[in-house]
């Protein structure tokens, strides 16, 4: 049987690349790459190796993870791209065809892969304690070599992590270098169990707690402060009976309550307190901090799930506008006897993939950069995200918006400090622009203090890179395990 991809999202600029690449010395077509930047800008791209055999193949969710990295040293940038050789990828490579069926539904798989990890490792890459991981929230993490991108294999922190799935959005506390992470559906597919872990700066598991969520749902991200961890339970629900009936694995429930579960850092499962608020869907955490009494947590929320391809539970229609995420500040009073949180909108335009200067993770902070989905008055011509913005959550500096250009998409912006001790937000923004008509991509290095100034440098790729979610910078010191804190080198 011939290899043929469906004539939908998998065409043109977004067609699978299916190529592993080594390209030393990328062309710098404008400006100069700052010599002080030493490290890697890692991105996971979903890139299906074999066409799906099911109808409902969801763009970016069910695709094989392809790890890519722009390596920076002495003003030169090299590029490398490798498939994450997950157990799933290895099994399908051996068979020469897809063996896994619909997203998060093991009942649709080829019987030959029953019991094998379904993870595609296609969401984020994390460097901690000298190790590099490719992560996806439905499966164990995959360890990779930080410099060659060769896959080492599934990693469970020396057997200390027994959760069946680990988030793709862990947090690092820059005060201590500790890694804070969790897994939902931690006891198996569609279970209510949530596992929470902390690892010390050397990567040893120092805390574990388990609790049950009020209902089973997608829990993509968490909020972490100096003293608390907040788990958002919002009703993009996930039920075993749905997948048994071959229905979509996730459905949006417009009538279910929203819960924020607050645990003290290193607390036990029975210490969790639940706070309720209006029906809405959590997207990503921006930043979070506490002052001992109040928890302040900034997040993107949409009226319903951002994922339009997941239907409403009751089959009702919904407006595309309801999928638009907005940034809001949540406030939780830990001294109150009540069980509700309050919220306030922080930014007027729909936005996603918010990132901060992570040297301020868990702390009071100002600087945010993110992608925008819509800007009134600017016609939407291209594909995906088309704008990057910077803002100050405290309103001390005006927001700025960078437009990628007609028929161009732009990726998640990553902030990199100018030097390891530069003030908050002083440095560069790395982002990849897809030039759809030219069928190629560029890495942009923007001045974080003025993203509308001419780019610090434009680095050209002689090929396209598919749209993806997340990209993370790790300095050489981080990759070597000398520090767990964001830096330039
Ligand atoms: Fe994410």
């Amino acid at each position: 049987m011939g290899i043929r991809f469906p004539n939908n999202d998998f065409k043109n600029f977004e067609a699978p690349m299916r190529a592993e690449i080594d390209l030393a010395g990328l062309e710098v077509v404008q400006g100069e790459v700052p010599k002080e930047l030493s490290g890697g800008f890692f991105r996971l791209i979903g890139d299906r190796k074999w066409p799906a055999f099911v109808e409902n193949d969801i763009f970016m969710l069910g695709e094989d993870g392809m790890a890519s990295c722009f390596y920076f040293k002495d003003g030169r940038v090299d590029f490398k791209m490798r498939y994450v050789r997950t157990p799933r990828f290895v099994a399908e490579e051996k068979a020469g065809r897809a063996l896994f069926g619909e997203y998060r539904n093991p009942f649709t798989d080829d019987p030959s892969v029953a019991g094998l990890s379904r993870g595609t490792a296609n969401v984020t890459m994390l460097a901690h304690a000298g190790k590099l991981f490719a992560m996806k929230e439905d499966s164990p993490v995959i360890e990779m070599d930080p410099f060659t991108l060769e896959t080492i294999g599934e990693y469970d922190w020396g057997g200390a992590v027994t959760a069946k799935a680990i988030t793709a959005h862990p947090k690092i506390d820059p005060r201590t270098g500790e890694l804070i992470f969790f897994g939902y559906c931690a006891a198996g597919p569609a279970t209510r169990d949530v596992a929470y872990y902390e690892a010390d700066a050397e990567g040893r598991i120092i805390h574990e707690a388990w609790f049950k969520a009020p209902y089973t749902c997608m829990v993509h991200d968490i909020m972490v402060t100096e003293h608390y961890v907040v788990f958002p339970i919002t009703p993009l629900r996930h039920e075993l009976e749905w997948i048994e009936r071959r229905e979509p694995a996730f459905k949006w429930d417009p009538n279910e309550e929203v819960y924020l579960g607050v645990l003290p850092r290193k607390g036990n499962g029975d210490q969790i307190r639940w706070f309720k608020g209006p029906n809405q869907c959590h997207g990503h955490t921006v930043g979070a901090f506490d002052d001992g009494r109040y928890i302040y947590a900034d997040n993107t929320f949409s009226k319903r799930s951002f994922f339009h391809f997941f239907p409403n539970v009751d089959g009702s229609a919904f407006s595309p506008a309801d999928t638009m995420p907005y940034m809001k500040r949540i406030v939780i009073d830990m001294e109150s006897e009540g069980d509700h949180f309050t919220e306030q909108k922080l930014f007027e335009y729909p936005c996603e993939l918010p990132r901060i200067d992570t040297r301020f993770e868990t702390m009071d902070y100002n600087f945010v950069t993110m992608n925008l989905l819509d800007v009134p008055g600017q016609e939407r011509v291209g594909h995906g995200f088309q704008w990057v913005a910077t803002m100050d959550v405290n309103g001390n500096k005006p927001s700025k918006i960078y437009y990628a250009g007609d028929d161009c998409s732009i990726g998640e912006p990553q902030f990199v400090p100018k030097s390891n001790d530069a003030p908050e937000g002083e440095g560069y923004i790395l982002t990849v622009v897809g030039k759809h008509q030219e069928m190629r991509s560029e890495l942009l290095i923007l001045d974080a203090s003025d993203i509308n100034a001419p780019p610090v440098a434009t680095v050209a790729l002689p090929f396209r890179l598919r749209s993806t979610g997340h990209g993370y910078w790790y300095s050489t010191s981080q990759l070597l395990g000398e520090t767990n804190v964001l830096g330039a080198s």
Side-chain angles (χ1 to χ4, degrees):
M1 191 172 69
I3 301 297
R4 183 175 297 165
F5 285 87
N7 188 24
N8 51 17
D9 292 330
F10 299 88
K11 284 292 178 192
N12 303 320
F13 196 87
E14 302 297 353
M17 293 183 69
R18 309 173 78 217
E20 299 186 312
I21 296 171
D22 284 290
L23 188 51
L26 295 180
E27 185 182 8
V28 181
V29 293
Q30 176 267 323
E32 294 289 338
V33 176
K35 286 195 166 54
E36 63 266 31
L37 293 184
S38 173
F41 181 39
F42 294 84
R43 299 167 81 240
L44 269 177
I45 304 170
D47 201 281
R48 254 198 180 284
K49 173 75 176 172
W50 307 102
F53 58 83
V54 293
E55 292 273 317
N56 300 322
D57 189 30
I58 299 170
F59 184 62
M60 286 179 63
L61 297 187
E63 301 177 296
D64 299 301
M66 179 76 97
S68 68
C69 185
F70 295 91
Y71 288 99
F72 287 61
K73 193 180 179 195
D74 298 328
R76 182 175 130 170
V77 182
D78 297 340
F79 182 79
K80 191 180 282 289
M81 190 153 92
R82 290 283 186 283
Y83 272 115
V84 186
R85 305 185 98 75
T86 59
R88 171 185 180 132
F89 181 92
V90 171
E92 292 189 339
E93 185 177 54
K94 194 172 169 196
R97 64 184 176 91
L99 298 171
F100 291 81
E102 291 184 17
Y103 180 63
R104 299 289 280 272
N105 190 338
F107 300 107
T108 59
D109 295 344
D110 187 286
S112 67
V113 293
L116 201 63
S117 172
R118 307 184 82 246
T120 49
N122 68 4
V123 180
T124 57
M125 302 197 76
L126 165 75
H128 184 257
K131 291 184 181 296
L132 181 74
F133 305 117
M135 313 182 90
K136 169 120 185 179
E137 66 197 47
D138 63 356
S139 48
V141 306
I142 304 285
E143 185 183 358
M144 304 190 77
D145 184 291
F147 300 101
T148 67
L149 293 184
E150 297 307 316
T151 300
I152 297 168
E154 287 187 339
Y155 184 74
D156 63 4
W157 282 264
V161 168
T162 56
K164 308 271 190 237
I166 298 297
T167 181
H169 285 297
K171 306 284 182 265
I172 292 172
D173 185 337
R175 291 179 188 82
T176 59
E178 290 170 322
L179 181 72
I180 301 100
F181 63 104
F182 75 104
Y184 73 95
C185 295
T191 54
R192 280 167 55 210
D193 304 78
V194 178
Y196 151 61
Y197 296 94
E198 293 208 19
D200 68 11
E202 282 75 46
R204 292 181 293 253
I205 298 297
I206 53 172
H207 186 73
E208 176 180 9
W210 288 68
F211 62 91
K212 285 191 189 293
Y215 51 85
T216 307
C217 65
M218 187 177 283
V219 191
H220 184 64
D221 204 345
I222 44 167
M223 301 151 240
V224 179
T225 72
E226 184 179 4
H227 301 107
Y228 297 102
V229 187
V230 183
F231 299 85
I233 305 300
T234 66
L236 183 56
R237 288 175 44 206
H238 181 47
E239 299 292 343
L240 188 62
E241 62 191 64
W242 298 342
I243 55 178
E244 284 175 343
R245 293 200 298 255
R246 313 290 197 269
E247 293 172 11
F250 290 87
K251 300 180 190 180
W252 177 250
D253 190 340
N255 300 310
E256 182 59 87
E257 293 202 270
V258 158
Y259 295 82
L260 298 181
V262 181
L263 255 188
R265 284 274 299 274
K266 301 185 179 68
N268 296 318
D270 59 6
Q271 291 177 270
I272 197 157
R273 274 185 72 183
W274 295 102
F275 294 84
K276 293 187 226 172
N279 178 276
Q280 56 192 325
C281 191
H282 187 255
H284 285 99
T285 304
V286 187
F289 57 99
D290 74 81
D291 62 8
R293 173 175 178 176
Y294 292 100
I295 296 171
Y296 304 90
D298 303 339
N299 303 271
T300 57
F301 284 99
S302 43
K303 275 191 180 167
R304 76 177 298 285
S305 167
F306 181 69
F307 297 129
H308 59 88
F309 36 76
F310 293 134
N312 283 358
V313 164
D314 56 6
S316 60
F318 58 89
S319 163
D322 291 347
T323 66
M324 286 286 129
Y326 289 89
M327 194 193 300
K328 294 178 180 176
R329 171 158 293 184
I330 296 294
V331 181
I332 302 170
D333 181 356
M334 293 305 292
E335 290 184 9
S336 98
E337 300 287 310
D339 65 351
H340 281 73
F341 61 85
T342 61
E343 61 178 42
Q344 171 201 345
K345 199 167 171 181
L346 287 182
F347 192 70
E348 59 188 311
Y349 301 141
C351 55
E352 250 302 352
L353 307 182
R355 302 291 299 279
I356 66 171
D357 180 338
T358 53
R359 295 174 301 167
F360 292 81
E361 191 82 75
T362 73
M363 302 176 201
D364 197 355
Y365 75 107
N366 296 284
F367 177 82
V368 179
T369 182
M370 59 203 162
N371 286 134
L372 302 187
L373 284 141
D374 198 16
V375 174
Q378 292 195 22
E379 193 183 353
R380 187 171 183 71
V381 185
H383 312 257
F385 297 115
Q386 285 185 255
W387 300 270
V388 163
T390 54
M391 72 166 293
D392 182 320
V393 288
N394 295 305
N396 297 321
K397 290 179 184 169
S399 302
K400 295 193 174 176
I401 296 173
Y402 174 87
Y403 176 54
D406 293 352
D407 208 37
C408 292
S409 54
I410 194 161
E412 179 181 51
Q414 162 74 58
F415 171 77
V416 183
K418 190 163 269 180
S419 62
N420 292 357
D421 54 3
E424 182 189 2
E426 190 174 304
Y428 307 104
I429 288 174
L430 310 183
T431 187
V432 171
V433 170
K435 301 174 89 75
H436 289 235
Q437 279 188 342
E438 298 171 37
M439 290 292 275
R440 64 183 188 86
S441 298
E442 288 178 343
L443 170 66
L444 283 185
I445 305 172
L446 302 173
D447 179 346
S449 66
D450 186 5
I451 55 177
N452 294 124
V456 175
T458 305
V459 180
L461 288 166
F463 45 80
R464 67 189 164 86
L465 291 178
R466 303 182 77 214
S467 298
T468 187
H470 298 293
Y472 284 71
W473 165 267
Y474 297 110
S475 68
T476 300
S477 303
Q478 286 174 281
L479 296 175
L480 292 172
E482 296 165 356
T483 178
N484 292 314
V485 181
L486 178 71
S489 60

